[in-house]
């Protein structure tokens, strides 16, 4: 689609994180690697095309050599991987064959490279050798790197961007997003991405507006275009007309005032209108977020997602490194509790230094506790650090993605091994800490009563529970409209979990993003839930809702809600019954 500079373009996407920002576009163009086009070249162009390819290889290789040189010596495992890549740049299979394909088939270098790397990938996959199969990742990474130079889309390091801009990216991984420097980046938008993805969770904790799932933003936006990002309604406006600009500047001011008003109330207790105290806790990814979480009025840390430490370091941390971080966190929170969730990698949080087998369905693959049970040394290291940190404060332990009782039993066996090692090593530790299971897979809901016999508490992870119950990929914009927290099936799952926890007398909290949206609060409070953990930026708005809510009314509404059979009807009922006290809806035009 061609655009004129003066033309205002509006693209609707998915709200990633609320707020409005206005600024210049800065394209972090990773899309070239995905959207390769084929075109034919003439005989006379072949040499030039091959030179273009060789040039891209040379640049990619020298960039790679620079990374190897800058690597710490103790990262020898990474060094091996990178050195393997160095050889692959000039490997006959990739390099030689691409040159042959350009000259034999008279096609552009990008298409030739894509074709060859696909073939190599297919060939490796057929070899019945696990080690060789894992090498397929190396080939993909090397050919992606060359491709990015070919299409002029070499990776821009987000942490190096030094202008006040709005990022426009094809896709941003949670690790990319966590590199964002707040004083530089005003907001960001992406072509891909869905609701409650991990990238959106990071954006919310950074408190910058973002819109995902725009589909074609990187095609339409050019560097330095003026953009308006309306994260609350999921809208991107490119080169706005003057009156649109004025309108949004005004809305931006009102949004800031609204947030400031909410924040001023954040020290007030989370007590319903009829006097029932609730517990509002924060979900965090980094220790640095603790101060913000406290400012927003979080009592405890209800979910510490530990994987970001592993993603940022780009290697597996040592026991002492983990201990240092956990200790820092619990000392900052003392005497309040910190729920440490064990490593939840893979799915959409793939560790760049992990050469695992490529999975067709990573969300259904070797993710979270499944990965940890297969890689027990990593798991033991984490448990040891957690038990050691527990000697200094109030820690709870949470295991993600539990899908059967056997898993939790195996987890306990690994915990015992960690304890034995700590005893052998004469280290100070405390193993008597509450153990919780995340309820985020439908099977866990179905067997909640059995699971409850194995653990001290449940934490409902609705981000994944919605994904897995409704078969909606959290990161896929095509199905984002079907990702609905108020789906009757999801509500039934939550109710079943609540009933099981109550029957077995164990604690229950909800730590999915569902708890952070005020519209869901009457339903959750009506069910009887009292402990919520959320992105800390959501606490003030949820607290305002709670302080205006009557639990008897919520219980009555819930009775009606549980008889309704569509999201639309449920939404209508909540909007009707709670219109007066709903702080705002994501698409509220007044903000
Ligand atoms: C969840 O799934 O709801 C959850 C809190 O975990 P995460 O978002 O990290 O997958
Ligand atoms: Mg989850």
């Amino acid at each position: 689609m061609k655009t004129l500079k003066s033309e205002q373009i509006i693209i609707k996407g998915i709200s990633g994180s609320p707020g409005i920002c206005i600024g210049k576009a800065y394209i972090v163009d990773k899309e070239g690697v995905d959207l390769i086009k084929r075109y034919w070249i003439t005989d006379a162009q072949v040499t030039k095309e091959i030179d273009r390819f060789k040039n891209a290889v040379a640049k990619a290789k020298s960039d790679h050599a620079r990374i190897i040189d800058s690597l710490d010596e103790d990262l020898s495992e990474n060094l091996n991987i990178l050195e393997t890549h160095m050889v692959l740049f000039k490997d006959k299979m990739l390099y030689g064959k691409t040159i042959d394909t350009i000259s034999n088939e008279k096609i552009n270098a990008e298409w030739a490279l894509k074709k060859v790397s696909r073939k190599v990938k297919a060939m490796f996959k057929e070899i019945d050798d696990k080690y060789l199969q894992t090498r397929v990742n190396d080939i993909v990474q090397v050919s992606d790197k060359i491709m990015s130079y070919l299409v002029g889309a070499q990776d821009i390091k987000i942490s190096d961007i030094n202008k006040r801009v709005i990022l426009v990216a094809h896709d941003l991984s949670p690790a990319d997003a966590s590199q964002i420097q707040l004083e530089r980046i005003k907001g960001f938008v992406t072509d891909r991405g869905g609701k409650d993805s991990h990238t959106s969770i990071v954006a919310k904790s950074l408190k910058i507006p973002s819109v995902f799932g725009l589909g074609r933003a990187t095609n339409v936006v050019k560097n330095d275009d003026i953009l308006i990002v309306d994260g609350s309604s999921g809208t991107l406006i490119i080169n706005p007309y003057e009156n649109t600009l004025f309108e949004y500047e005004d809305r931006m001011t009102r949004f800031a005032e609204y947030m400031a008003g909410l924040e001023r109330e954040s020290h007030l207790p989370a007590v319903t209108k009829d006097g029932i105290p609730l517990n509002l806790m924060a979900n965090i990814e980094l220790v640095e977020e603790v101060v913000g979480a406290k400012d927003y009025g979080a009592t405890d840390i209800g979910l510490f997602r530990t994987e970001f430490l592993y993603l940022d370091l780009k290697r597996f941390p040592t026991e002492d490194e983990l201990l240092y971080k956990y200790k820092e966190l619990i000392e900052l929170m003392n005497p309040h509790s910190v729920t440490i969730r064990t490593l939840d990698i893979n799915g959409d949080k793939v560790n760049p230094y992990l050469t695992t087998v490529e999975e067709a369905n990573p969300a259904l693959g070797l993710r979270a506790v499944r990965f940890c049970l297969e890689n027990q040394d990593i798991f033991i290291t984490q448990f040891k650090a957690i038990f050691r940190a527990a000697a200094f404060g109030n820690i709870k332990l949470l295991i993600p993605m539990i899908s059967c009782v056997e898993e939790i039993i195996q987890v306990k066996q690994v915990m015992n091994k960690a304890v034995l090692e700590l005893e052998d090593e004469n280290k100070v530790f405390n193993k008597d800490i509450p153990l919780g299971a995340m309820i985020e897979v439908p099977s866990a809901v179905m067997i909640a009563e059995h699971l409850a016999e194995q653990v001290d508490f449940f934490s409902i992870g609705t981000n994944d529970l919605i994904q897995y119950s409704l078969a909606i990929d959290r990161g896929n914009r095509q199905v984002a409209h079907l990702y609905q927290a108020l789906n009757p099936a999801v509500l039934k799952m939550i109710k079943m979990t609540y009933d099981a926890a109550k029957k077995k007398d164990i604690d229950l909290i909800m730590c999915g993003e569902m708890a952070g949206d005020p519209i869901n609060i009457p339903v959750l409070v009506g069910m009887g839930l009292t402990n919520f953990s959320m992105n800390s930026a959501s606490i003030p708005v949820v607290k305002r809702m709670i302080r205006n809510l009557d639990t008897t009314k919520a219980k009555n509404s819930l009775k009606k809600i549980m008889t309704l059979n569509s999201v639309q009807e449920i939404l209508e009922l909540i909007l009707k019954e709670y219109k007066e006290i709903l702080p705002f809806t994501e698409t509220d035009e007044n903000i």
Side-chain angles (χ1 to χ4, degrees):
M1 180 176 179
K2 238 181 144 38
T3 62
L4 296 174
K5 187 85 192 160
S6 58
E7 203 179 315
Q8 164 176 301
I9 299 171
I10 300 178
I11 313 183
K12 279 295 282 177
I14 300 154
S15 163
S17 45
I20 295 168
C21 65
I22 302 175
K24 282 193 177 170
Y26 188 98
I27 304 192
V28 191
D29 192 358
K30 292 194 171 177
E31 73 157 350
V33 180
D34 283 356
L35 301 173
I36 304 305
K37 295 202 172 60
R38 174 173 57 175
Y39 56 86
W40 310 105
I41 54 172
T42 63
D43 282 339
Q45 290 171 319
V46 168
T47 316
K48 209 170 139 216
E49 196 61 11
I50 291 175
D51 282 349
R52 201 164 68 79
F53 172 69
K54 287 184 177 169
N55 222 342
V57 175
K59 279 190 190 154
K61 226 180 136 190
S62 84
D63 186 31
H64 199 72
R66 204 173 34 78
I67 295 174
I68 293 183
D69 282 349
S70 66
L71 213 65
D72 274 352
E73 270 168 25
D74 58 330
L75 308 183
S76 54
E77 202 181 316
N78 286 0
L79 204 62
N80 284 343
I81 297 166
L82 293 179
E83 277 167 352
T84 313
H85 285 194
M86 202 67 181
V87 178
L88 283 174
F89 278 110
K90 281 285 173 78
D91 189 274
K92 251 207 234 133
M93 266 193 308
L94 200 68
Y95 182 80
K97 276 268 187 303
T98 304
I99 293 177
D100 289 349
T101 310
I102 298 172
S103 72
N104 296 340
E105 300 185 24
K106 309 273 180 309
I107 51 172
N108 57 316
E110 291 87 346
W111 193 262
L113 176 61
K114 183 173 174 173
K115 192 169 170 181
V116 170
S117 76
R118 247 200 221 146
K119 265 198 189 153
V120 178
K121 267 201 272 182
M123 201 172 85
F124 267 72
K125 273 191 174 164
E126 268 166 27
I127 299 172
D128 189 20
D129 177 317
K130 213 173 169 199
Y131 172 78
L132 282 179
Q133 278 178 4
T134 63
R135 294 272 67 91
V136 77
N137 265 0
D138 298 330
I139 307 251
V140 173
Q141 283 165 6
V142 167
S143 89
D144 275 359
K145 188 116 201 163
I146 301 172
M147 190 69 88
S148 68
Y149 277 92
L150 263 180
V151 299
Q154 52 275 47
D155 270 4
I156 291 169
K157 266 228 206 94
I158 289 174
S159 53
D160 288 351
I161 297 173
N162 58 5
K163 303 183 199 166
R164 287 281 292 155
V165 287
I166 294 174
L167 297 185
V168 181
H170 187 54
D171 200 6
L172 271 193
S173 69
D176 286 337
S178 68
Q179 297 294 299
I180 284 178
Q181 312 262 345
L182 283 180
E183 62 282 11
R184 314 244 169 83
I185 312 293
K186 295 178 168 189
F188 70 92
V189 299
T190 60
D191 292 339
R192 289 197 182 164
K195 247 183 143 245
D196 291 346
S197 64
H198 283 103
T199 307
S200 96
I201 288 166
V202 174
K204 278 185 193 149
S205 41
L206 292 170
K207 283 178 256 145
I208 56 173
S210 63
V211 179
F212 301 153
L214 288 159
R216 60 199 175 105
T218 50
N219 279 344
V220 182
V221 179
K222 288 176 217 68
N223 268 329
D224 292 334
D225 274 350
I226 299 292
L227 302 182
I228 298 176
V229 177
D230 180 352
S232 307
S233 68
T235 312
L236 171 69
I237 306 177
I238 306 159
N239 293 324
Y241 298 136
E242 210 171 320
N243 58 346
T244 316
L245 210 50
F246 285 147
E247 184 201 323
Y248 271 90
E249 273 167 356
D250 193 39
R251 284 177 71 174
M252 206 161 74
T253 315
R254 270 184 287 144
F255 186 79
E257 282 167 5
Y258 175 78
M259 290 308 287
L262 281 179
E263 282 166 31
R264 275 194 296 275
E265 295 171 15
S266 59
H267 65 282
L268 297 173
V271 178
T272 61
K273 211 170 149 193
D274 52 330
I276 309 291
L278 303 182
N279 201 6
L280 298 188
M281 300 171 272
N283 293 348
I284 62 166
E285 287 77 42
L286 303 167
V287 176
E288 292 72 18
E289 288 173 67
V290 168
V291 178
K294 283 187 178 175
D295 284 349
Y296 278 127
T299 52
D300 302 69
I301 300 300
L303 173 68
F304 176 43
R305 293 184 168 94
T306 53
E307 44 280 0
F308 286 80
L309 224 62
Y310 294 70
L311 295 170
D312 287 349
L313 276 177
K314 305 210 169 15
R315 66 182 161 81
F316 287 105
T318 62
E319 180 187 315
D320 283 348
E321 282 171 330
L322 291 174
L323 169 67
Y324 177 79
K325 281 283 172 201
Y326 300 159
K327 189 167 168 266
E328 192 186 350
L329 173 58
I330 58 167
E331 282 176 349
L332 281 169
M333 284 308 295
N334 256 339
H336 300 282
S337 70
V338 173
T339 300
I340 300 186
R341 181 179 74 183
T342 55
L343 192 57
D344 181 0
I345 45 169
N346 288 346
D348 66 345
K349 285 175 291 191
V350 182
N351 268 16
Y353 50 91
L354 258 184
T355 37
T356 43
V357 179
E358 206 181 340
E359 295 183 309
N361 293 305
L364 305 181
L366 199 64
R367 183 190 157 181
V369 70
R370 302 172 181 181
F371 170 87
C372 290
L373 287 172
E374 286 288 310
N375 294 275
Q376 292 205 5
D377 44 340
I378 296 167
F379 215 7
I380 290 177
T381 304
Q382 189 174 27
F383 280 135
K384 285 170 77 180
I386 293 172
F387 292 146
R388 286 174 70 190
F392 299 92
N394 187 352
I395 285 190
K396 297 179 186 176
L397 183 54
L398 182 60
I399 313 294
M401 220 187 159
I402 289 293
S403 61
C404 58
V405 172
E406 293 87 322
E407 253 164 5
I408 203 81
I409 291 171
Q410 283 170 33
V411 166
K412 287 184 184 174
Q413 285 162 354
V414 180
M415 284 165 64
N416 283 339
K417 284 188 196 164
V419 169
L420 287 178
E421 283 191 21
L422 287 169
E423 280 168 356
D424 273 358
E425 291 158 9
N426 274 328
K427 288 176 176 158
V428 178
F429 67 96
N430 171 16
K431 66 177 172 45
D432 297 320
I433 54 179
L435 172 67
M438 282 199 74
I439 304 295
E440 46 186 354
V441 177
S443 61
V445 176
M446 303 310 287
I447 55 160
E449 285 190 26
H450 301 301
L451 284 175
E453 281 164 12
Q454 299 291 334
V455 294
D456 304 302
F457 69 100
F458 283 157
S459 185
I460 307 181
T462 49
N463 306 341
D464 278 312
L465 188 60
I466 298 169
Q467 153 164 278
Y468 294 126
S469 321
L470 304 180
I472 307 293
D473 178 349
R474 284 164 75 169
N476 184 343
R477 71 185 182 94
Q478 322 257 38
V479 286
H481 61 289
L482 300 169
Y483 184 101
Q484 298 151 324
L486 292 173
N487 185 299
V490 175
L491 299 188
K492 288 208 164 81
M493 296 251 178
I494 297 170
K495 178 84 172 54
M496 282 175 75
T497 310
Y498 173 84
D499 291 343
K502 197 162 169 57
K503 183 169 169 194
K504 297 287 172 176
D505 198 22
I506 65 164
D507 287 341
L508 174 76
I509 78 162
M510 171 172 285
C511 67
E513 292 296 301
M514 180 175 183
D517 190 343
I519 203 153
N520 302 323
I521 295 298
V523 180
L524 301 175
V525 172
M527 269 189 209
L529 274 80
T530 52
N531 299 312
F532 303 104
S533 190
M534 62 197 75
N535 210 291
S536 52
S538 306
I539 293 179
V541 75
V542 168
K543 190 181 278 181
R544 183 180 280 182
M545 182 74 194
I546 286 171
R547 291 179 57 83
N548 287 317
L549 188 75
D550 181 272
T551 50
T552 314
K553 179 173 172 182
K555 282 190 180 122
N556 287 333
S557 308
L558 186 82
K559 280 189 200 135
K560 289 180 245 168
I561 287 170
M562 294 309 270
T563 65
L564 301 176
N565 52 30
S566 76
V567 179
Q568 194 51 36
E569 287 169 293
I570 295 173
L571 262 175
E572 276 165 18
L573 187 139
I574 298 173
L575 288 172
K576 190 167 132 244
E577 297 201 351
Y578 296 93
K579 193 173 179 4
E580 309 305 320
I581 62 162
L582 266 174
F584 70 91
T585 60
E586 282 193 342
T587 50
D588 195 337
E589 291 297 318
N590 300 316
I591 292 170

